[in-house]
Amino acid sequence: MFIPWIQALQSFIRSKPKKLAFKIPFAYFLIILLTVAFSYVVLSQISANSAQKKINETSLQTITSIQTNVELIIENVNNYSKMIFSDPNLQNLLRQGDVYANLQTQAKVSAYLYNLMQAVPMIDSVYIYDNSGHRFTVGTEELPSFLEANVEESSWYEEAVNNKGKYMLIRNRIESVSAESVDKQVVSFIRMIRDLDDTSPLGVLVMNIKGESFAQAYANLINQDSFQIAILDEHNQIIVDNSTVDPGNTTFQEILAIHQDELEQHFQQSSSGSLTLNSGSQKYAVSYRSDGNEHWKFISMNSYDRVDTRNKSLVLLALLLLIINGTVFFVSSFILSNSIIKPIHKLLRSMNKAPSGNLRKVNVEPNSYEFEQLYLGYNQMIEQIDQMLKRMLEEQNTIRRAELNTLQAQIKPHFLYNTLDSITSLALSGQNHQVCELLEALGNYYRMSVSKGREIITIGEEVEIVRNYMRIQATRYQDTFEIEFHVDEDCLLTPIPKLVLQPLVENSLYHGIRPRGTKGTICIMANPIKGGVSLSISDDGVGMSEEEITQILHTERTGEIRSFGLWGTMERLRIFYGVQDGMTIESEPGKGTTITIKIPNGADESWNH
């Protein structure tokens, strides 16, 4: 029956946005609800157990008092019996062996017994049996009578004789002498009558105690509406009970009939105790005592429904306190969660503006150490991002300036003018074929240098730019240099930033070969290595000293330095690949220079945009 409720709760949770503003109060609500429900169950059980324990203790005390009162009643009857068989008239009458022997003495005995029963209402009737088979009866509702009765034929006679003067109690029923009245439940008090002089048996005394007289044992002790009480004889037959007070409850007769074996087992195991019995849909708490010479049982029975009713107000009060405390806790947790969520929302608003470029710091609210550290961390991150963006912009500007300067260095007016002058001289001298080659080389050089705005070209394209550039320079500086290309075919398609080799070849020509004064050689090599390609530009020019190399590698550009092409290429490679040692220079004065560049695999294509 709980499955639809659980499914509805899960659907409700899924339909709600996964926000802390909802999840925290809802989680607190569920916790409080479960806590209250669990506490209610536990309190109910503890309260019921505690109340039942107290009721069992009270029941045992009550039936102990009832037992004491019953024993007092029996002791009083015992004293009355001693008064009866000590009467001299009765002693004289029975010594004659026949209760009919002397009518005058009989009258005195009858008057004595009648007056005694009038003074002690609990005694219903008195039977006196002689040794001649006669019975003399005096009762509160009947006149004295004399009957023929052989006492030795009674079922209890042998036990009464064996008791040697001690009394015995038997649950009995006296049949009504009239049709209008009902049979009476009595307890027969039986003992032998002995001669006061020689203790010889004179007869048997039977005093019938009214069954309802034993109800006086508990009438003044407890409210009869709170317990069902019964007194059982040694055969577990009810002597008296108060189950008629509440006819709607299960009576002792029914309980005894259903649980007779179980009760008898408990009676044998312990002289007193408590147990729980079921009768239909009802549960009963039963307490008992079975002490005493008569082996009577004193039982109290109470329905669990009444126990629950007694504790209902206490449990409801505890539940009310739990609900009040839970409400206070929920409101407090809601306020506390708001104090947590509010700073988070402020931080989220600032973070949501960050993608649009609005990098604003959040004002630190020192209401808690954790949020203060969170805000400080966020502000530091924003500051670092801002500085990184500025640094990236500066690096981009540096790259653009380096590229622009490189392009400007390649498209210098005097270079173009000198090339055009060379073309003019060749045309005037009729060397039309060389004119065409030179014009083709010049066009290819500028076209490939521009490369349609691309930042990334292949090593093969870069080598082709160098070829065209050196063809032009070979026309201008005849017999000045030779150039060699040793490029592995596996390296031709490797991506590389454009205009990397040309500035280095130009440096070799102008700063290495020409100052030498004799013809030199420039060698360009490309070989695959692990993780990339190795490019090297070697010349046998004038070379450089260690101081000059250090100045080129470690001196920032604050103006025009000795080799702008070399520095600009180093700076572009450093920014492009994010490495500081992507280029090495080996040189000695008079022996030439070798520049080696390591190009990693996988250039970032975003540079083309």
Side-chain angles (χ1 to χ4, degrees):
M1 64 179 292
F2 294 104
I3 294 178
W5 289 94
I6 296 175
Q7 292 176 347
L9 180 61
Q10 291 176 345
S11 176
F12 173 75
I13 294 174
R14 293 193 191 100
S15 65
K16 291 297 180 182
K18 297 181 179 179
K19 294 183 178 179
L20 289 177
F22 166 75
K23 295 173 71 175
I24 292 179
F26 185 72
Y28 277 126
F29 173 76
L30 287 181
I31 292 172
I32 292 171
L33 184 62
L34 293 175
T35 302
V36 170
F38 178 76
S39 300
Y40 175 75
V41 173
V42 172
L43 284 175
S44 298
Q45 188 63 37
I46 293 176
S47 178
N49 292 339
S50 176
Q52 188 58 51
K53 182 178 179 181
K54 291 181 179 179
I55 289 176
N56 289 339
E57 293 175 353
T58 304
S59 299
L60 285 174
Q61 293 175 358
T62 300
I63 59 180
T64 301
S65 299
I66 294 173
Q67 179 185 5
T68 302
N69 292 340
V70 169
E71 291 176 350
L72 183 60
I73 292 173
I74 295 174
E75 185 62 26
N76 289 335
V77 173
N78 185 34
N79 292 331
Y80 295 141
S81 69
K82 293 177 181 179
M83 293 172 59
I84 292 174
F85 68 69
S86 299
D87 181 65
N89 293 318
L90 180 61
Q91 285 281 321
N92 292 329
L93 189 64
L94 292 176
R95 283 178 184 142
Q96 298 177 19
D98 187 357
V99 291
Y100 300 140
N102 191 327
L103 296 179
Q104 185 177 2
T105 304
Q106 289 178 0
K108 292 179 181 180
V109 172
S110 297
Y112 176 76
L113 294 177
Y114 185 78
N115 291 332
L116 178 63
M117 286 186 290
Q118 292 296 322
V120 185
M122 71 177 69
I123 300 176
D124 177 78
S125 58
V126 177
Y127 295 171
I128 297 175
Y129 295 87
D130 61 16
N131 292 330
S132 301
H134 304 129
R135 187 186 77 181
F136 176 60
T137 303
V138 178
T140 56
E141 297 181 1
E142 56 183 324
L143 296 174
S145 59
F146 304 91
L147 298 175
E148 295 290 335
N150 189 1
V151 69
E152 295 180 358
E153 296 178 356
S154 301
S155 59
W156 43 261
Y157 179 76
E158 183 177 355
E159 183 179 355
V161 172
N162 293 333
N163 283 341
K164 298 180 180 180
K166 294 169 55 178
Y167 66 84
M168 59 180 294
L169 299 174
I170 297 177
R171 177 177 172 271
N172 204 350
R173 178 184 294 272
I174 299 178
E175 296 182 359
S176 174
V177 297
S178 64
E180 291 79 9
S181 59
V182 296
D183 297 344
K184 295 182 292 185
Q185 289 284 355
V186 296
V187 175
S188 296
F189 179 96
I190 304 172
R191 71 183 305 171
M192 294 293 294
I193 301 176
R194 295 182 177 275
D195 193 319
L196 295 179
D197 296 333
D198 56 10
T199 68
S200 60
L202 299 177
V204 178
L205 172 66
V206 178
M207 300 176 66
N208 292 319
I209 307 170
K210 296 177 181 178
E212 60 267 19
S213 298
F214 291 99
Q216 300 300 319
Y218 55 79
N220 298 325
L221 292 176
I222 60 172
N223 184 357
Q224 295 188 16
D225 291 335
S226 59
F227 293 98
Q228 291 192 65
I229 297 173
I231 302 175
L232 310 182
D233 63 10
E234 66 274 13
H235 303 295
N236 295 333
Q237 298 297 315
I238 295 177
I239 297 173
V240 65
D241 70 87
N242 69 338
S243 60
T244 55
V245 174
D246 190 359
N249 288 341
T250 305
T251 61
F252 272 105
Q253 288 84 350
E254 298 175 0
I255 295 294
L256 289 175
I258 298 173
H259 302 281
Q260 183 175 2
D261 295 337
E262 183 177 358
L263 284 171
E264 183 62 31
Q265 183 179 1
H266 280 275
F267 293 155
Q268 293 177 0
Q269 290 177 352
S270 175
S271 61
S272 64
S274 300
L275 67 152
T276 300
L277 299 179
N278 297 321
S279 179
S281 61
Q282 293 289 330
K283 293 177 63 177
Y284 294 91
V286 177
S287 299
Y288 66 91
R289 286 186 64 88
S290 60
D291 290 339
N293 297 327
E294 296 77 33
H295 302 292
W296 286 7
K297 288 85 175 181
F298 301 86
I299 300 178
S300 69
M301 185 174 66
N302 189 35
S303 173
Y304 272 96
D305 292 339
R306 295 191 177 185
V307 176
D308 294 338
T309 302
R310 294 189 188 101
N311 293 286
K312 188 175 182 180
S313 58
L314 179 61
V315 174
L316 289 177
L317 177 61
L319 179 62
L320 180 62
L321 292 177
L322 281 174
I323 293 174
I324 293 174
N325 292 334
T327 303
V328 173
F329 178 71
F330 177 73
V331 173
S332 302
S333 64
F334 187 79
I335 296 173
L336 180 62
S337 64
N338 261 350
S339 66
I340 297 174
I341 294 171
K342 186 177 179 181
I344 294 178
H345 283 171
K346 186 174 183 180
L347 183 61
L348 285 175
R349 287 194 296 269
S350 178
M351 293 175 66
N352 290 333
K353 295 178 181 179
S356 62
N358 188 3
L359 300 176
R360 294 196 309 174
K361 294 183 179 180
V362 182
N363 295 329
V364 177
E365 296 181 0
N367 58 346
S368 67
Y369 173 78
E370 289 79 8
F371 279 113
E372 183 178 357
Q373 294 301 311
L374 180 62
Y375 284 0
L376 288 175
Y378 176 77
N379 290 338
Q380 289 176 359
M381 181 185 67
I382 290 296
E383 184 176 357
Q384 291 176 359
I385 292 175
D386 189 46
Q387 292 177 356
M388 182 180 66
L389 290 176
K390 290 179 180 179
R391 187 167 61 250
M392 289 178 62
L393 290 175
E394 291 177 358
E395 291 178 350
Q396 289 290 338
N397 291 333
T398 301
I399 292 174
R400 299 306 177 190
R401 286 196 303 269
E403 291 176 347
L404 180 59
N405 291 331
T406 302
L407 290 174
Q408 288 175 347
Q410 309 311 313
I411 313 176
K412 292 178 180 178
H414 68 270
F415 170 74
L416 181 59
Y417 295 155
N418 290 337
T419 304
L420 292 176
D421 286 341
S422 299
I423 293 173
T424 301
S425 298
L426 292 172
L428 292 175
S429 62
Q431 299 180 23
N432 295 330
H433 180 71
Q434 292 185 1
V435 170
C436 290
E437 289 182 355
L438 192 58
L439 286 173
E440 182 181 3
L442 182 64
N444 288 336
Y445 172 73
Y446 282 116
R447 176 175 54 81
M448 298 187 71
S449 296
V450 175
S451 64
K452 298 181 181 180
R454 289 183 297 148
E455 297 286 347
I456 306 297
I457 61 176
T458 63
I459 289 180
E461 292 174 322
E462 182 73 10
V463 170
E464 193 62 28
I465 291 175
V466 173
R467 289 183 189 275
N468 289 302
Y469 174 75
M470 296 307 289
R471 286 172 62 186
I472 295 171
Q473 296 291 20
T475 302
R476 295 179 58 199
Y477 306 107
Q478 298 180 3
D479 298 327
T480 301
F481 68 89
E482 290 183 358
I483 186 164
E484 299 177 358
F485 293 93
H486 301 282
V487 180
D488 194 300
E489 292 184 357
D490 294 336
C491 303
L492 293 177
L493 298 179
T494 301
I496 187 175
K498 68 180 179 181
L499 298 177
V500 170
L501 294 177
Q502 188 273 334
L504 303 181
V505 173
E506 182 180 358
N507 278 345
S508 295
L509 176 61
Y510 282 101
H511 300 292
I513 301 298
R514 287 186 62 191
R516 175 181 175 181
T518 59
K519 187 175 182 179
T521 302
I522 299 174
C523 180
I524 298 175
M525 300 180 65
N527 296 303
I529 60 174
K530 184 177 180 180
V533 175
S534 174
L535 295 176
S536 63
I537 301 93
S538 303
D539 66 72
D540 53 1
V542 297
M544 293 183 291
S545 64
E546 290 291 338
E547 291 76 9
E548 291 175 318
I549 294 175
T550 302
Q551 183 182 11
I552 293 173
L553 291 177
H554 302 289
T555 302
E556 295 184 0
R557 186 184 180 213
T558 57
E560 291 294 332
I561 62 175
R562 180 173 179 267
S563 179
F564 168 77
L566 181 57
W567 177 88
T569 302
M570 290 173 55
E571 189 70 9
R572 290 175 64 223
L573 292 174
R574 180 187 68 80
I575 297 173
F576 187 85
Y577 291 110
V579 294
Q580 298 292 336
D581 56 351
M583 180 183 292
T584 59
I585 301 175
E586 299 176 0
S587 181
E588 292 184 19
K591 294 185 179 181
T593 302
T594 298
I595 300 175
T596 303
I597 303 172
K598 295 180 180 179
I599 304 297
N601 286 330
D604 189 353
E605 292 296 329
S606 63
W607 284 76
N608 281 326
H609 304 289

